[in-house]
Amino acid sequence: MSFDQPDNPFFLSFTDVLTCVLGGSISLFLIFVTLVKLVPAEQSSQASAGVDQRAGILRALEREKTAGASAATLQLVSESCETINSIAVENAEIWSLTSVGPKGETLCGRLIVFAAGLPSSTTPIKSDFMPSRPIWITLTVGASVWSRPVVIDADAFRQMGALLTIVPSAQVLNTATSEVLRPLADEPAQ
Amino acid sequence: MSRRRQRPSESSLALSFIDTISGGFGAAFFLFLIFASMPFEDSAAVGGASRFMEVWLRWKSAADLMGITLEHESGVRIRLTSKDFVIDPFTGKLAPKIDKPLWRSAQVNGFSWFGEAGMQNGAEASTRLRLADPCPGKWRITATLHSHLAGEAWLAQPVAVPYYATARVFDGVSRNSDYSVPWKDISPGVTDVLNWETAAGVSSEIDVLAPPRQKLTYCPTPSKPS
C-alpha cells in the first residue's frame, strides 16, 4: 500500500490542506494572543517591549530638545534602606518614598526629579552605603517608562563611587554592575 | 478476475504527505506572522506616543495626606483607590482593575492608600500622577486633605494646611502646557476643585488635545452636542 492510492486514509486533498493551514494558523494565533493577554502586566514581554520603550524615550528626548517637553524622573526603590536614604544627586529635586512590598517588606525609595529635563552632563547618583539587595531603577521621560532591577557589584560600587551615573553623551545609565544599561539609546541593551 | 485500480498519471502538482505537513507548517507560520503583526489594542501605542499629563500636589505638612480625583468631560470620575487600582511598589506603575481607565499607562508616587505615605522632602509632602496617552478632552481635578490626627487633637480646631499644585500636559507634537494652582489653604476633609492658572487665564479644567492620526480605543466616544 502506498500513499498515492486514492483510498489511503492519509491522502489529503488540496482543500484539506488549505483548511488545515487556516485552522492551524488561527489556533497558533489564538494561543499566542491568549498567552500575551494572560501574562500579568508587570511581566509582559519586557524583552520585546524594551526596544519600543527605549525608542520611545529617545523620541521623547528628541522632542524635549525641540519642544521643551522636559519632565524626567528617576525612581530608585530597594529593601536596602540605608543605601537609599543616603542617596545624593546634584541639581535635582529629591523626594523620599516609603512603601510596603508584596511580601510585607519595607521598601525605601527616592524619586529624583529633573525639572529641566534629563541633565545634559554626566551626573552621578551617589550613596554612602553598598546595597545588599537589588535596586529597582525606573526612568521616566515624557510618556515613556523604562524600569529594571539591578544588583550592584561591590567592586564596581567602590570604583565608581556611585550607584549609577547618567551619561547623556553615551546615552546610557552606567550602573555599578557588570552591565551598562541603555534606556536612552535606540538599540538593544547589552 | 482481479480488480486493478487505474493509477492516475504522475502530476507535477501532486503533493506527498511530507510535502503537505511541511507546507502546512510553513503556511501556518506565515499566516500567524501576518495575524500577529496586525495592530492590536495594546501594542499599537507602546512607545510610539509621548503624550502625557502629569499632576503634582504639594503641601506643607508631613503629617497630613492629600489625594486627587479625576473627572473627565465624558462623565467618568476616577478615584485612585485600592478598589480600582493596584500599584507596583517597585516601579510606581498603576495597574487598573477597571475597564478603560482613560489612559494607556500611569505612574504614581506618594498615594497613601497603596501603603505609601506621601512623598517627603523636608517639611513638604507631595503626590505625583503621570498619565501616558490620556484621553483627549477636558479634565477636572479635585484635591482632598485627609488628616491623620493624633488622639489628643481630635477635639481641637482643625488646622488648615497650605498646598499648591502643578500640572504639565504635552500633546506629543509641539505644545507643552503648564498649569499651576498658587499656594492656598485647605482644611481637613475639604475637597477643592483645582482652579488652574495658565498663560491664557484661570480655568478649572485641563484641556488635553487629541493625538494626530491616532485613535485611542480605550477612550469614551465624545458625546455629540445636542
Side-chain angles (χ1 to χ4, degrees), chain A residues 59-111:
Chain A
R59 278 195 289 274
L61 285 173
E62 284 302 314
R63 287 198 179 92
E64 187 175 273
K65 288 175 193 164
T66 55
S70 54
T73 60
L74 185 66
Q75 181 180 323
L76 306 175
V77 175
S78 173
E79 285 181 64
S80 294
C81 287
E82 197 178 40
T83 304
I84 296 294
N85 292 341
S86 64
I87 281 177
V89 189
E90 288 180 2
N91 301 322
E93 183 184 4
I94 302 180
W95 291 90
S96 66
L97 299 160
T98 50
S99 58
V100 179
K103 295 172 189 164
E105 69 273 30
T106 299
L107 298 174
C108 296
R110 286 291 183 275
L111 184 72

Side-chain angles (χ1 to χ4, degrees), chain B residues 145-224:
Chain B
L145 176 66
H146 308 280
S147 276
H148 284 186
L149 294 178
E152 63 273 17
W154 282 357
L155 296 177
Q157 189 71 18
V159 178
V161 171
Y163 78 98
Y164 81 99
T166 56
R168 170 167 284 177
V169 179
F170 182 53
D171 66 3
V173 181
S174 61
R175 203 171 73 105
N176 187 25
S177 306
D178 284 326
Y179 297 77
S180 68
V181 176
W183 285 103
K184 63 180 291 193
D185 287 351
I186 186 169
S187 297
V190 170
T191 297
D192 272 358
V193 174
L194 297 181
N195 275 311
W196 303 101
E197 288 186 1
T198 67
V202 178
S203 170
S204 62
E205 291 169 330
I206 290 179
D207 191 11
V208 177
L209 296 181
R213 302 182 303 279
Q214 189 185 10
K215 190 172 181 295
L216 304 177
T217 51
Y218 46 82
C219 293
T221 48
S223 53
K224 289 174 185 169

Side-chain angles (χ1 to χ4, degrees), chain B residues 75-138:
Chain B
V76 179
R77 188 168 180 272
I78 294 177
R79 280 193 68 210
L80 300 172
T81 65
S82 56
K83 178 169 157 282
D84 295 335
F85 296 93
V86 176
I87 189 174
D88 179 355
F90 296 102
T91 63
K93 183 174 179 182
L94 192 68
K97 294 181 191 171
I98 54 174
D99 282 341
K100 301 191 175 178
L102 302 182
W103 52 77
R104 173 166 57 84
S105 66
Q107 266 193 304
V108 295
N109 298 106
F111 279 80
S112 60
W113 32 78
F114 298 125
E116 291 184 52
M119 286 189 288
Q120 309 285 322
N121 186 358
E124 263 191 40
S126 71
T127 61
R128 175 187 82 127
L129 169 67
R130 182 182 298 213
L131 307 178
D133 267 334
C135 288
K138 311 256 189 225

